Amino acid sequence: MRCREPVLSQNPTCLAVSPSTKSGARLGYENDHQYLFVVSEVVSETSSKQNIVIWEIRDVPNMTQTNAIILRFREEEAGNFEALFKKEVLPLWRQFKARGKIIAASLTPVQDGNRGRKGVRDYILHVEVPGMAEHSEFDSNASFLKFLPRAQAMQPEEPLVWLGNTLFQV
């Protein structure tokens, strides 16, 4: 859809932005509607002193949150951690997945990389959830809170933790 004037509505298709905004830029989202405005192309330019450019934007429905965590365990504790995780966290993942509160989740023992240390077993924990509400719900689950201190006691250092809204996915 082409537009000549910015349309500022609950679900706009056009928006006025600065001329320095590049194609592909993320302009924001509304949590309650879970869509993201992405600049796709220049449609027209104005000649006003403000030099505003009108861009076409598109909706990206159901933006999700991706969580990536690197867990480190003492080598002698790795088997205990895996058994504890299988018994206590895996069933929670399955419950949350069945309720649509987890999209995907995996625990992967690291086999190669550039940060390995002797005597330490690393794991990649990857979880994709619909949003922060589901993330918080999992993190505050009583069963998970019971598991967490036992797993932390096996770790020689704090895990590396990253989370963010998913930008691209196939």
Side-chain angles (χ1 to χ4, degrees):
M1 174 182 179
R2 298 281 187 233
C3 64
R4 297 190 202 305
E5 301 293 328
V7 178
L8 299 177
S9 67
Q10 188 174 15
N11 191 2
T13 57
C14 298
L15 186 68
V17 296
S18 145
S20 63
T21 305
K22 304 289 185 211
S23 181
R26 295 170 40 164
L27 300 179
Y29 66 97
E30 295 182 22
N31 287 323
D32 53 341
H33 297 294
Q34 292 188 341
Y35 54 82
L36 171 70
F37 303 121
V38 180
V39 175
S40 61
E41 63 181 293
V42 175
V43 178
S44 64
E45 294 183 19
T46 66
S47 58
S48 71
K49 291 180 182 178
Q50 298 151 340
N51 198 23
I52 298 295
V53 177
I54 308 299
W55 298 78
E56 180 179 350
I57 58 178
R58 60 181 168 83
D59 293 344
V60 179
N62 302 322
M63 184 172 28
T64 63
Q65 181 189 88
T66 298
N67 301 275
I69 302 172
I70 303 300
L71 299 168
R72 308 192 95 181
F73 290 89
R74 288 182 282 283
E75 191 70 49
E76 65 272 11
E77 297 281 10
N80 294 336
F81 164 70
E82 290 179 15
L84 186 64
F85 192 94
K86 182 178 181 180
K87 180 181 177 191
E88 298 188 21
V89 176
L90 192 56
L92 282 176
W93 275 6
R94 289 181 176 135
Q95 291 170 16
F96 273 68
K97 173 100 171 147
R99 294 176 24 223
K101 304 225 176 212
I102 286 180
I103 296 165
S106 63
L107 178 69
T108 306
V110 173
Q111 295 175 338
D112 196 6
N114 66 354
R115 300 284 173 135
R117 276 197 346 225
K118 187 174 178 137
V120 175
R121 178 68 180 206
D122 296 332
Y123 293 84
I124 302 165
L125 180 74
H126 170 264
V127 180
E128 184 182 359
V129 292
M132 193 62 198
E134 292 81 5
H135 178 152
S136 296
E137 183 179 342
F138 187 88
D139 282 357
S140 63
N141 179 281
S143 295
F144 179 69
L145 292 173
K146 181 181 167 193
F147 157 85
L148 196 55
R150 290 180 284 154
Q152 289 171 329
M154 297 179 218
Q155 298 176 43
E157 61 191 68
E158 291 286 316
L160 302 173
V161 179
W162 298 277
L163 60 101
N165 292 329
T166 307
L167 180 58
F168 301 110
Q169 185 178 58
V170 293

